Amino acid sequence: MATHAVRTRHAGGRRRTRLDDHLPVDHRLNTVYRVGAGLIGAFLVAFGILGLIDHIGFFNTGGATAAGLNTNGALSVLSIVIGAVLLAGMVIGGNFASTLNMVLGVLFLLNGFLFLGLLDTGNNFLAFKIQNVFFSFIVGLLLMTFGMYGRVGSALPHDNPYWRARHPEPAPHEQPMLRAEGQERQGPPPDQVR
């Protein structure tokens, strides 16, 4: 069963605007969003710290590695920042974590394509190698999977809160039960009353 956020008015009579008010909150799916953001965020923070420990130049493209991936100071700092954002998403949870996972997943995929084009050029300022590109694709797909889990798909169960948000009418298997309940409340038809 889905629970929805309680909407209250502030003292000034204005309501705080939230972009995800229309989305349901489901605690079972919330665990998936949090775990996905937390695992990938923790890895990115660890990778960034390992890169910074080696005192690599900020834009050095010499081939220093950390955790099997090529890195430099800029990539290490960027990894720590993105990892921290994912860890914050894990703490906040809910629809925020899901949306954050999806957005960062798309950005990781786009980043992979960008640096695939920049390999072996002078513009490769993050010192990407092919293993970094593969890593970016894999992390992007994982984040998107964690973010979309239970939110999209053609075979969502009818008790899924996201299915219910998109289909306010009763599910097909619930319609006969609702009709029967409605008839009980109305009582017998007037021609059957004696």
Side-chain angles (χ1 to χ4, degrees), residues 7-18 21:
R7 297 176 183 168
T8 60
R9 293 196 175 263
H10 294 286
R14 285 189 264 161
R15 193 170 61 107
R16 201 173 89 207
T17 303
R18 294 189 57 196
D21 272 348

Side-chain angles (χ1 to χ4, degrees), residues 78-117:
L78 187 62
S79 296
I80 291 172
V81 169
I82 293 174
V85 168
L86 282 168
L87 290 173
M90 178 192 73
V91 171
I92 295 169
N95 293 323
F96 177 79
S98 172
T99 304
L100 179 69
N101 285 346
M102 285 190 287
V103 168
L104 287 178
V106 169
L107 290 177
F108 265 92
L109 286 176
L110 292 175
N111 181 58
F113 282 116
L114 172 69
F115 280 96
L116 182 61

Side-chain angles (χ1 to χ4, degrees), residues 7 21 36 47 51 59 62 65 73-74 82 106-107 112 125 137 139 144 157 172 180:
R7 297 176 183 168
D21 272 348
F47 170 73
F59 289 111
T65 61
I82 293 174
V106 169
L107 290 177
F125 60 92
F137 286 148
V139 167
M144 285 175 49

Side-chain angles (χ1 to χ4, degrees), residues 7-134:
R7 297 176 183 168
T8 60
R9 293 196 175 263
H10 294 286
R14 285 189 264 161
R15 193 170 61 107
R16 201 173 89 207
T17 303
R18 294 189 57 196
L19 297 176
D20 61 354
D21 272 348
H22 67 286
L23 296 175
V25 178
D26 185 41
H27 296 290
R28 291 176 294 158
L29 297 174
N30 189 18
T31 304
V32 175
Y33 309 146
R34 286 177 180 240
V35 167
L39 289 174
I40 294 173
F43 179 82
L44 289 174
V45 168
F47 170 73
I49 291 172
L50 288 174
L52 288 178
I53 288 175
D54 289 339
H55 301 289
I56 305 166
F58 203 71
F59 289 111
N60 182 15
T61 57
T65 61
L69 298 171
N70 212 43
T71 190
N72 62 14
L75 182 59
S76 297
V77 169
L78 187 62
S79 296
I80 291 172
V81 169
I82 293 174
V85 168
L86 282 168
L87 290 173
M90 178 192 73
V91 171
I92 295 169
N95 293 323
F96 177 79
S98 172
T99 304
L100 179 69
N101 285 346
M102 285 190 287
V103 168
L104 287 178
V106 169
L107 290 177
F108 265 92
L109 286 176
L110 292 175
N111 181 58
F113 282 116
L114 172 69
F115 280 96
L116 182 61
L118 295 177
L119 287 177
D120 299 327
T121 67
N123 297 325
N124 189 3
F125 60 92
L126 291 180
F128 263 52
K129 298 284 185 200
I130 194 68
Q131 64 266 26
N132 296 74
V133 171
F134 288 144

